Amino acid sequence: MNERQTLRPIPRWVIWAGLPAMVVLAGVAVWVLLAFAPDSAQLDAIRTGGTLGVGLGGAVALWLAVRKQRSTELDLLQKEASHRLAEQVAADTREHQLRTAADAREDALARRVTEQYGKAVDQLGSERAPVRLGGLYALERLGQDHADGPLRQMIADVLCAYLRMPSDDTAEEAQVRRTAQKIIANHSRPSDERHWPGLHLDFSGANLDQADFGQCRFDSILFTSAAFTGIANFAGTVFSVRAGFIGASFSGVADFENARFPAEADFRGAEFAATAQFSSARFADAQFDMASFADAQFTEAKFRGSTSFDSSVFSERVTFQSAKFGGHTSFDHARFRHDVSLYKARFAHSASFSSASFQRYAGLRSVHFEAMVSFGEARFGGDFDFGDSEFTVAPGLTGARIRIDREGAVLHNWPDGWTLGDPEDGWAPLTRTD
């Protein structure tokens, strides 16, 4: 704010000296006129001197009026400035009061939320299943009502921690655990108005029964060493970041049909005791090393990046029919104990089946290999069929061996340029014809 402009008062000496000076000036003027004017013009001289005196008085009066007007204007400006200052002070006071009231409300709300959160968590430790259920629903309600801040993540952490705890295997506890899973699933589906985006979920070592995460979207999730009982539904689920299923076990059907893995899918050491359904799934980089499968379905699955099934075991039928592999693919040391079909599969990059074991039917018919493929040291214990397969580069079968001591009709349809060598102990090597 500009400093107030002021008018200094007229000094007393100006008044005491100015008025006599004006009178003297007027008298001198009259005397000079009378002294030098002719006798006939003396009256005019007196009149002129009077006029001069009146003029000087008028000038002084005008000057005083201007000073008074200026003083009035300055007083008005000062009053206006004072009014603005008073309004600003009042506005600042109101803002401070509102901010203080809002802070008080926030503090009260935070205390209330903290109390409710603590009470709900305490309920999860109850020995009574209905009380634990009440705690779960109370936590869900808190998270739904308060989207701001870390509360939803805290609630997700508590639910995951509860599922990681050992179960007492009672029906009541199973119900509580399925409810916790359902709450997490409901808030992980983008199509649900209750969606809680951006959660980090850690189910490492958790026991999950009848897990239904179909159509969910996970931004960060771990299932390391998780145990799934019953059907595990991940159909249509999107794993935005790395999906960690290292060492996970599935005692029932594992349904990943149409699932999306735009980042790494890590199933190393996973165990699938029943059907593993990955038909039409989409992978970036996929690792299934040392995984064990019963029935496995990868029909029309697409693997965009590198794919590895090294040392995996397929105990029952497995199909990769019409699957597409965009990066390097490795089945080194894999064990196919039952029929396997790669009918119309396409390998856009190099592929390796080195030291793989095909104990029964190996259906490699109509497969398209656009780069180098190696079956070096592979073992074919049953029928195998490379009919109508296309090789951009001649396949590598050095060291591959075929079992020939089986009874009944035997189908051995190997690629051009290879033939059976001398048998030994019921097995014959494939050798080059050129």
Side-chain angles (χ1 to χ4, degrees), residues 116-148:
Q116 293 174 346
Y117 174 81
K119 182 179 179 180
V121 172
D122 288 340
Q123 287 179 268
L124 294 181
S126 173
E127 295 181 356
R128 300 174 55 203
V131 177
R132 297 198 296 274
L133 282 172
L136 290 176
Y137 288 124
L139 287 173
E140 181 187 26
R141 188 163 54 251
L142 273 176
Q144 191 62 28
D145 292 342
H146 303 283
D148 298 333

PDB file of all heavy atoms in Angstrom, residues 116-148:
ATOM      1  N   GLN A 116     -11.987 -46.139  13.377  1.00  0.00           N
ATOM      2  CA  GLN A 116     -12.759 -47.167  12.679  1.00  0.00           C
ATOM      3  C   GLN A 116     -11.840 -48.215  12.052  1.00  0.00           C
ATOM      4  O   GLN A 116     -12.140 -49.418  12.092  1.00  0.00           O
ATOM      5  CB  GLN A 116     -13.638 -46.513  11.602  1.00  0.00           C
ATOM      6  CG  GLN A 116     -14.738 -45.627  12.171  1.00  0.00           C
ATOM      7  CD  GLN A 116     -15.485 -44.877  11.076  1.00  0.00           C
ATOM      8  OE1 GLN A 116     -15.044 -44.810   9.943  1.00  0.00           O
ATOM      9  NE2 GLN A 116     -16.639 -44.317  11.431  1.00  0.00           N
ATOM     10  N   TYR A 117     -10.723 -47.756  11.477  1.00  0.00           N
ATOM     11  CA  TYR A 117      -9.763 -48.683  10.881  1.00  0.00           C
ATOM     12  C   TYR A 117      -9.185 -49.620  11.938  1.00  0.00           C
ATOM     13  O   TYR A 117      -9.131 -50.844  11.746  1.00  0.00           O
ATOM     14  CB  TYR A 117      -8.649 -47.885  10.204  1.00  0.00           C
ATOM     15  CG  TYR A 117      -7.510 -48.712   9.667  1.00  0.00           C
ATOM     16  CD1 TYR A 117      -7.612 -49.360   8.447  1.00  0.00           C
ATOM     17  CD2 TYR A 117      -6.326 -48.832  10.395  1.00  0.00           C
ATOM     18  CE1 TYR A 117      -6.561 -50.118   7.950  1.00  0.00           C
ATOM     19  CE2 TYR A 117      -5.269 -49.594   9.904  1.00  0.00           C
ATOM     20  CZ  TYR A 117      -5.383 -50.224   8.688  1.00  0.00           C
ATOM     21  OH  TYR A 117      -4.350 -50.973   8.208  1.00  0.00           O
ATOM     22  N   GLY A 118      -8.772 -49.048  13.053  1.00  0.00           N
ATOM     23  CA  GLY A 118      -8.220 -49.873  14.123  1.00  0.00           C
ATOM     24  C   GLY A 118      -9.227 -50.868  14.670  1.00  0.00           C
ATOM     25  O   GLY A 118      -8.886 -52.035  14.931  1.00  0.00           O
ATOM     26  N   LYS A 119     -10.463 -50.426  14.812  1.00  0.00           N
ATOM     27  CA  LYS A 119     -11.502 -51.330  15.312  1.00  0.00           C
ATOM     28  C   LYS A 119     -11.748 -52.474  14.326  1.00  0.00           C
ATOM     29  O   LYS A 119     -11.893 -53.643  14.731  1.00  0.00           O
ATOM     30  CB  LYS A 119     -12.795 -50.548  15.539  1.00  0.00           C
ATOM     31  CG  LYS A 119     -13.927 -51.394  16.110  1.00  0.00           C
ATOM     32  CD  LYS A 119     -15.171 -50.538  16.342  1.00  0.00           C
ATOM     33  CE  LYS A 119     -16.316 -51.403  16.886  1.00  0.00           C
ATOM     34  NZ  LYS A 119     -17.542 -50.581  17.111  1.00  0.00           N
ATOM     35  N   ALA A 120     -11.790 -52.138  13.018  1.00  0.00           N
ATOM     36  CA  ALA A 120     -12.029 -53.176  12.008  1.00  0.00           C
ATOM     37  C   ALA A 120     -10.886 -54.179  11.972  1.00  0.00           C
ATOM     38  O   ALA A 120     -11.101 -55.389  11.845  1.00  0.00           O
ATOM     39  CB  ALA A 120     -12.213 -52.526  10.633  1.00  0.00           C
ATOM     40  N   VAL A 121      -9.652 -53.684  12.064  1.00  0.00           N
ATOM     41  CA  VAL A 121      -8.499 -54.597  12.072  1.00  0.00           C
ATOM     42  C   VAL A 121      -8.547 -55.492  13.304  1.00  0.00           C
ATOM     43  O   VAL A 121      -8.242 -56.697  13.231  1.00  0.00           O
ATOM     44  CB  VAL A 121      -7.194 -53.791  12.021  1.00  0.00           C
ATOM     45  CG1 VAL A 121      -5.990 -54.714  12.224  1.00  0.00           C
ATOM     46  CG2 VAL A 121      -7.062 -53.065  10.677  1.00  0.00           C
ATOM     47  N   ASP A 122      -8.935 -54.926  14.435  1.00  0.00           N
ATOM     48  CA  ASP A 122      -9.058 -55.739  15.650  1.00  0.00           C
ATOM     49  C   ASP A 122     -10.099 -56.844  15.471  1.00  0.00           C
ATOM     50  O   ASP A 122      -9.924 -57.964  15.982  1.00  0.00           O
ATOM     51  CB  ASP A 122      -9.439 -54.859  16.842  1.00  0.00           C
ATOM     52  CG  ASP A 122      -8.277 -53.970  17.291  1.00  0.00           C
ATOM     53  OD1 ASP A 122      -7.130 -54.292  16.949  1.00  0.00           O
ATOM     54  OD2 ASP A 122      -8.537 -52.960  17.976  1.00  0.00           O
ATOM     55  N   GLN A 123     -11.151 -56.528  14.726  1.00  0.00           N
ATOM     56  CA  GLN A 123     -12.185 -57.539  14.506  1.00  0.00           C
ATOM     57  C   GLN A 123     -11.646 -58.741  13.737  1.00  0.00           C
ATOM     58  O   GLN A 123     -12.113 -59.866  13.935  1.00  0.00           O
ATOM     59  CB  GLN A 123     -13.374 -56.927  13.740  1.00  0.00           C
ATOM     60  CG  GLN A 123     -14.233 -55.990  14.575  1.00  0.00           C
ATOM     61  CD  GLN A 123     -15.369 -55.419  13.753  1.00  0.00           C
ATOM     62  OE1 GLN A 123     -15.255 -54.355  13.149  1.00  0.00           O
ATOM     63  NE2 GLN A 123     -16.482 -56.141  13.718  1.00  0.00           N
ATOM     64  N   LEU A 124     -10.671 -58.507  12.852  1.00  0.00           N
ATOM     65  CA  LEU A 124     -10.111 -59.620  12.084  1.00  0.00           C
ATOM     66  C   LEU A 124      -9.381 -60.616  12.978  1.00  0.00           C
ATOM     67  O   LEU A 124      -9.148 -61.756  12.584  1.00  0.00           O
ATOM     68  CB  LEU A 124      -9.150 -59.093  11.007  1.00  0.00           C
ATOM     69  CG  LEU A 124      -9.778 -58.267   9.886  1.00  0.00           C
ATOM     70  CD1 LEU A 124      -8.711 -57.843   8.888  1.00  0.00           C
ATOM     71  CD2 LEU A 124     -10.875 -59.055   9.187  1.00  0.00           C
ATOM     72  N   GLY A 125      -9.008 -60.178  14.149  1.00  0.00           N
ATOM     73  CA  GLY A 125      -8.340 -61.085  15.070  1.00  0.00           C
ATOM     74  C   GLY A 125      -9.290 -61.815  16.002  1.00  0.00           C
ATOM     75  O   GLY A 125      -8.836 -62.573  16.873  1.00  0.00           O
ATOM     76  N   SER A 126     -10.581 -61.625  15.799  1.00  0.00           N
ATOM     77  CA  SER A 126     -11.562 -62.285  16.663  1.00  0.00           C
ATOM     78  C   SER A 126     -11.606 -63.784  16.399  1.00  0.00           C
ATOM     79  O   SER A 126     -11.317 -64.255  15.290  1.00  0.00           O
ATOM     80  CB  SER A 126     -12.950 -61.673  16.433  1.00  0.00           C
ATOM     81  OG  SER A 126     -13.941 -62.387  17.136  1.00  0.00           O
ATOM     82  N   GLU A 127     -11.987 -64.542  17.406  1.00  0.00           N
ATOM     83  CA  GLU A 127     -12.150 -65.988  17.235  1.00  0.00           C
ATOM     84  C   GLU A 127     -13.462 -66.334  16.547  1.00  0.00           C
ATOM     85  O   GLU A 127     -13.647 -67.475  16.108  1.00  0.00           O
ATOM     86  CB  GLU A 127     -12.088 -66.673  18.603  1.00  0.00           C
ATOM     87  CG  GLU A 127     -10.721 -66.537  19.287  1.00  0.00           C
ATOM     88  CD  GLU A 127     -10.693 -67.256  20.614  1.00  0.00           C
ATOM     89  OE1 GLU A 127     -11.761 -67.786  21.021  1.00  0.00           O
ATOM     90  OE2 GLU A 127      -9.621 -67.304  21.256  1.00  0.00           O
ATOM     91  N   ARG A 128     -14.359 -65.387  16.452  1.00  0.00           N
ATOM     92  CA  ARG A 128     -15.675 -65.637  15.867  1.00  0.00           C
ATOM     93  C   ARG A 128     -15.678 -65.187  14.407  1.00  0.00           C
ATOM     94  O   ARG A 128     -15.342 -64.046  14.078  1.00  0.00           O
ATOM     95  CB  ARG A 128     -16.760 -64.905  16.650  1.00  0.00           C
ATOM     96  CG  ARG A 128     -16.852 -65.329  18.112  1.00  0.00           C
ATOM     97  CD  ARG A 128     -17.846 -64.450  18.850  1.00  0.00           C
ATOM     98  NE  ARG A 128     -19.151 -64.467  18.182  1.00  0.00           N
ATOM     99  CZ  ARG A 128     -20.065 -63.499  18.318  1.00  0.00           C
ATOM    100  NH1 ARG A 128     -19.796 -62.434  19.061  1.00  0.00           N
ATOM    101  NH2 ARG A 128     -21.222 -63.597  17.692  1.00  0.00           N
ATOM    102  N   ALA A 129     -16.082 -66.104  13.530  1.00  0.00           N
ATOM    103  CA  ALA A 129     -16.102 -65.809  12.096  1.00  0.00           C
ATOM    104  C   ALA A 129     -17.011 -64.637  11.741  1.00  0.00           C
ATOM    105  O   ALA A 129     -16.632 -63.798  10.911  1.00  0.00           O
ATOM    106  CB  ALA A 129     -16.503 -67.052  11.308  1.00  0.00           C
ATOM    107  N   PRO A 130     -18.230 -64.510  12.317  1.00  0.00           N
ATOM    108  CA  PRO A 130     -19.075 -63.358  11.970  1.00  0.00           C
ATOM    109  C   PRO A 130     -18.422 -62.026  12.310  1.00  0.00           C
ATOM    110  O   PRO A 130     -18.606 -61.034  11.588  1.00  0.00           O
ATOM    111  CB  PRO A 130     -20.343 -63.595  12.801  1.00  0.00           C
ATOM    112  CG  PRO A 130     -20.391 -65.070  13.020  1.00  0.00           C
ATOM    113  CD  PRO A 130     -18.959 -65.485  13.167  1.00  0.00           C
ATOM    114  N   VAL A 131     -17.668 -61.985  13.403  1.00  0.00           N
ATOM    115  CA  VAL A 131     -16.980 -60.747  13.769  1.00  0.00           C
ATOM    116  C   VAL A 131     -15.888 -60.440  12.744  1.00  0.00           C
ATOM    117  O   VAL A 131     -15.700 -59.283  12.336  1.00  0.00           O
ATOM    118  CB  VAL A 131     -16.386 -60.858  15.183  1.00  0.00           C
ATOM    119  CG1 VAL A 131     -15.595 -59.587  15.534  1.00  0.00           C
ATOM    120  CG2 VAL A 131     -17.493 -61.083  16.208  1.00  0.00           C
ATOM    121  N   ARG A 132     -15.187 -61.452  12.296  1.00  0.00           N
ATOM    122  CA  ARG A 132     -14.151 -61.241  11.276  1.00  0.00           C
ATOM    123  C   ARG A 132     -14.774 -60.759   9.971  1.00  0.00           C
ATOM    124  O   ARG A 132     -14.224 -59.880   9.299  1.00  0.00           O
ATOM    125  CB  ARG A 132     -13.363 -62.535  11.056  1.00  0.00           C
ATOM    126  CG  ARG A 132     -12.602 -63.000  12.296  1.00  0.00           C
ATOM    127  CD  ARG A 132     -11.509 -64.002  11.957  1.00  0.00           C
ATOM    128  NE  ARG A 132     -12.025 -65.240  11.405  1.00  0.00           N
ATOM    129  CZ  ARG A 132     -12.447 -66.283  12.130  1.00  0.00           C
ATOM    130  NH1 ARG A 132     -12.442 -66.191  13.455  1.00  0.00           N
ATOM    131  NH2 ARG A 132     -12.878 -67.385  11.555  1.00  0.00           N
ATOM    132  N   LEU A 133     -15.919 -61.330   9.612  1.00  0.00           N
ATOM    133  CA  LEU A 133     -16.625 -60.855   8.414  1.00  0.00           C
ATOM    134  C   LEU A 133     -17.008 -59.390   8.559  1.00  0.00           C
ATOM    135  O   LEU A 133     -16.877 -58.598   7.613  1.00  0.00           O
ATOM    136  CB  LEU A 133     -17.870 -61.712   8.165  1.00  0.00           C
ATOM    137  CG  LEU A 133     -17.653 -63.082   7.529  1.00  0.00           C
ATOM    138  CD1 LEU A 133     -18.957 -63.870   7.536  1.00  0.00           C
ATOM    139  CD2 LEU A 133     -17.131 -62.940   6.105  1.00  0.00           C
ATOM    140  N   GLY A 134     -17.500 -59.035   9.738  1.00  0.00           N
ATOM    141  CA  GLY A 134     -17.855 -57.635   9.977  1.00  0.00           C
ATOM    142  C   GLY A 134     -16.655 -56.723   9.828  1.00  0.00           C
ATOM    143  O   GLY A 134     -16.769 -55.612   9.287  1.00  0.00           O
ATOM    144  N   GLY A 135     -15.488 -57.184  10.283  1.00  0.00           N
ATOM    145  CA  GLY A 135     -14.275 -56.385  10.115  1.00  0.00           C
ATOM    146  C   GLY A 135     -13.915 -56.194   8.651  1.00  0.00           C
ATOM    147  O   GLY A 135     -13.499 -55.109   8.238  1.00  0.00           O
ATOM    148  N   LEU A 136     -14.082 -57.241   7.843  1.00  0.00           N
ATOM    149  CA  LEU A 136     -13.796 -57.125   6.404  1.00  0.00           C
ATOM    150  C   LEU A 136     -14.701 -56.097   5.743  1.00  0.00           C
ATOM    151  O   LEU A 136     -14.241 -55.240   4.971  1.00  0.00           O
ATOM    152  CB  LEU A 136     -13.972 -58.482   5.729  1.00  0.00           C
ATOM    153  CG  LEU A 136     -12.952 -59.571   6.055  1.00  0.00           C
ATOM    154  CD1 LEU A 136     -13.334 -60.878   5.364  1.00  0.00           C
ATOM    155  CD2 LEU A 136     -11.552 -59.152   5.631  1.00  0.00           C
ATOM    156  N   TYR A 137     -15.990 -56.188   6.022  1.00  0.00           N
ATOM    157  CA  TYR A 137     -16.929 -55.252   5.394  1.00  0.00           C
ATOM    158  C   TYR A 137     -16.712 -53.828   5.896  1.00  0.00           C
ATOM    159  O   TYR A 137     -16.910 -52.859   5.142  1.00  0.00           O
ATOM    160  CB  TYR A 137     -18.363 -55.700   5.650  1.00  0.00           C
ATOM    161  CG  TYR A 137     -18.754 -56.935   4.864  1.00  0.00           C
ATOM    162  CD1 TYR A 137     -19.232 -58.080   5.511  1.00  0.00           C
ATOM    163  CD2 TYR A 137     -18.639 -56.966   3.482  1.00  0.00           C
ATOM    164  CE1 TYR A 137     -19.588 -59.211   4.792  1.00  0.00           C
ATOM    165  CE2 TYR A 137     -18.985 -58.096   2.760  1.00  0.00           C
ATOM    166  CZ  TYR A 137     -19.458 -59.222   3.417  1.00  0.00           C
ATOM    167  OH  TYR A 137     -19.801 -60.330   2.700  1.00  0.00           O
ATOM    168  N   ALA A 138     -16.313 -53.689   7.160  1.00  0.00           N
ATOM    169  CA  ALA A 138     -16.027 -52.350   7.682  1.00  0.00           C
ATOM    170  C   ALA A 138     -14.824 -51.741   6.968  1.00  0.00           C
ATOM    171  O   ALA A 138     -14.825 -50.548   6.620  1.00  0.00           O
ATOM    172  CB  ALA A 138     -15.777 -52.427   9.187  1.00  0.00           C
ATOM    173  N   LEU A 139     -13.801 -52.545   6.732  1.00  0.00           N
ATOM    174  CA  LEU A 139     -12.638 -52.050   6.000  1.00  0.00           C
ATOM    175  C   LEU A 139     -13.006 -51.670   4.566  1.00  0.00           C
ATOM    176  O   LEU A 139     -12.565 -50.637   4.053  1.00  0.00           O
ATOM    177  CB  LEU A 139     -11.538 -53.116   5.990  1.00  0.00           C
ATOM    178  CG  LEU A 139     -10.790 -53.343   7.308  1.00  0.00           C
ATOM    179  CD1 LEU A 139      -9.862 -54.547   7.184  1.00  0.00           C
ATOM    180  CD2 LEU A 139      -9.999 -52.109   7.702  1.00  0.00           C
ATOM    181  N   GLU A 140     -13.796 -52.497   3.929  1.00  0.00           N
ATOM    182  CA  GLU A 140     -14.220 -52.185   2.557  1.00  0.00           C
ATOM    183  C   GLU A 140     -15.001 -50.875   2.519  1.00  0.00           C
ATOM    184  O   GLU A 140     -14.794 -50.035   1.632  1.00  0.00           O
ATOM    185  CB  GLU A 140     -15.064 -53.317   1.985  1.00  0.00           C
ATOM    186  CG  GLU A 140     -15.518 -53.047   0.549  1.00  0.00           C
ATOM    187  CD  GLU A 140     -16.487 -54.079   0.024  1.00  0.00           C
ATOM    188  OE1 GLU A 140     -17.191 -54.701   0.850  1.00  0.00           O
ATOM    189  OE2 GLU A 140     -16.559 -54.263  -1.203  1.00  0.00           O
ATOM    190  N   ARG A 141     -15.888 -50.686   3.475  1.00  0.00           N
ATOM    191  CA  ARG A 141     -16.688 -49.462   3.512  1.00  0.00           C
ATOM    192  C   ARG A 141     -15.811 -48.230   3.716  1.00  0.00           C
ATOM    193  O   ARG A 141     -16.021 -47.176   3.091  1.00  0.00           O
ATOM    194  CB  ARG A 141     -17.731 -49.561   4.624  1.00  0.00           C
ATOM    195  CG  ARG A 141     -18.748 -48.427   4.640  1.00  0.00           C
ATOM    196  CD  ARG A 141     -19.968 -48.797   5.468  1.00  0.00           C
ATOM    197  NE  ARG A 141     -19.588 -49.222   6.815  1.00  0.00           N
ATOM    198  CZ  ARG A 141     -19.672 -50.478   7.256  1.00  0.00           C
ATOM    199  NH1 ARG A 141     -20.096 -51.435   6.443  1.00  0.00           N
ATOM    200  NH2 ARG A 141     -19.324 -50.788   8.490  1.00  0.00           N
ATOM    201  N   LEU A 142     -14.820 -48.356   4.583  1.00  0.00           N
ATOM    202  CA  LEU A 142     -13.890 -47.245   4.793  1.00  0.00           C
ATOM    203  C   LEU A 142     -13.152 -46.904   3.498  1.00  0.00           C
ATOM    204  O   LEU A 142     -13.028 -45.731   3.128  1.00  0.00           O
ATOM    205  CB  LEU A 142     -12.868 -47.620   5.873  1.00  0.00           C
ATOM    206  CG  LEU A 142     -13.240 -47.355   7.327  1.00  0.00           C
ATOM    207  CD1 LEU A 142     -12.150 -47.870   8.251  1.00  0.00           C
ATOM    208  CD2 LEU A 142     -13.463 -45.873   7.560  1.00  0.00           C
ATOM    209  N   GLY A 143     -12.655 -47.920   2.819  1.00  0.00           N
ATOM    210  CA  GLY A 143     -11.929 -47.678   1.582  1.00  0.00           C
ATOM    211  C   GLY A 143     -12.804 -47.079   0.499  1.00  0.00           C
ATOM    212  O   GLY A 143     -12.354 -46.234  -0.274  1.00  0.00           O
ATOM    213  N   GLN A 144     -14.048 -47.491   0.441  1.00  0.00           N
ATOM    214  CA  GLN A 144     -14.953 -46.959  -0.566  1.00  0.00           C
ATOM    215  C   GLN A 144     -15.310 -45.507  -0.286  1.00  0.00           C
ATOM    216  O   GLN A 144     -15.480 -44.708  -1.212  1.00  0.00           O
ATOM    217  CB  GLN A 144     -16.229 -47.816  -0.612  1.00  0.00           C
ATOM    218  CG  GLN A 144     -17.123 -47.522  -1.801  1.00  0.00           C
ATOM    219  CD  GLN A 144     -16.451 -47.811  -3.131  1.00  0.00           C
ATOM    220  OE1 GLN A 144     -15.571 -48.664  -3.230  1.00  0.00           O
ATOM    221  NE2 GLN A 144     -16.840 -47.084  -4.168  1.00  0.00           N
ATOM    222  N   ASP A 145     -15.405 -45.149   0.989  1.00  0.00           N
ATOM    223  CA  ASP A 145     -15.802 -43.785   1.363  1.00  0.00           C
ATOM    224  C   ASP A 145     -14.646 -42.802   1.318  1.00  0.00           C
ATOM    225  O   ASP A 145     -14.873 -41.586   1.293  1.00  0.00           O
ATOM    226  CB  ASP A 145     -16.403 -43.784   2.774  1.00  0.00           C
ATOM    227  CG  ASP A 145     -17.744 -44.510   2.835  1.00  0.00           C
ATOM    228  OD1 ASP A 145     -18.351 -44.705   1.762  1.00  0.00           O
ATOM    229  OD2 ASP A 145     -18.166 -44.894   3.944  1.00  0.00           O
ATOM    230  N   HIS A 146     -13.419 -43.292   1.322  1.00  0.00           N
ATOM    231  CA  HIS A 146     -12.266 -42.396   1.415  1.00  0.00           C
ATOM    232  C   HIS A 146     -11.257 -42.774   0.339  1.00  0.00           C
ATOM    233  O   HIS A 146     -10.375 -43.607   0.549  1.00  0.00           O
ATOM    234  CB  HIS A 146     -11.622 -42.484   2.807  1.00  0.00           C
ATOM    235  CG  HIS A 146     -12.573 -42.170   3.927  1.00  0.00           C
ATOM    236  ND1 HIS A 146     -12.954 -40.896   4.253  1.00  0.00           N
ATOM    237  CD2 HIS A 146     -13.243 -42.997   4.775  1.00  0.00           C
ATOM    238  CE1 HIS A 146     -13.805 -40.927   5.262  1.00  0.00           C
ATOM    239  NE2 HIS A 146     -14.001 -42.189   5.605  1.00  0.00           N
ATOM    240  N   ALA A 147     -11.399 -42.135  -0.825  1.00  0.00           N
ATOM    241  CA  ALA A 147     -10.535 -42.466  -1.966  1.00  0.00           C
ATOM    242  C   ALA A 147      -9.180 -41.787  -1.885  1.00  0.00           C
ATOM    243  O   ALA A 147      -8.214 -42.240  -2.490  1.00  0.00           O
ATOM    244  CB  ALA A 147     -11.231 -42.073  -3.275  1.00  0.00           C
ATOM    245  N   ASP A 148      -9.103 -40.671  -1.146  1.00  0.00           N
ATOM    246  CA  ASP A 148      -7.857 -39.924  -1.086  1.00  0.00           C
ATOM    247  C   ASP A 148      -6.896 -40.564  -0.088  1.00  0.00           C
ATOM    248  O   ASP A 148      -7.305 -41.173   0.902  1.00  0.00           O
ATOM    249  CB  ASP A 148      -8.122 -38.469  -0.675  1.00  0.00           C
ATOM    250  CG  ASP A 148      -8.998 -37.741  -1.679  1.00  0.00           C
ATOM    251  OD1 ASP A 148      -8.959 -38.140  -2.856  1.00  0.00           O
ATOM    252  OD2 ASP A 148      -9.717 -36.811  -1.285  1.00  0.00           O
TER     253      ASP A 148
END
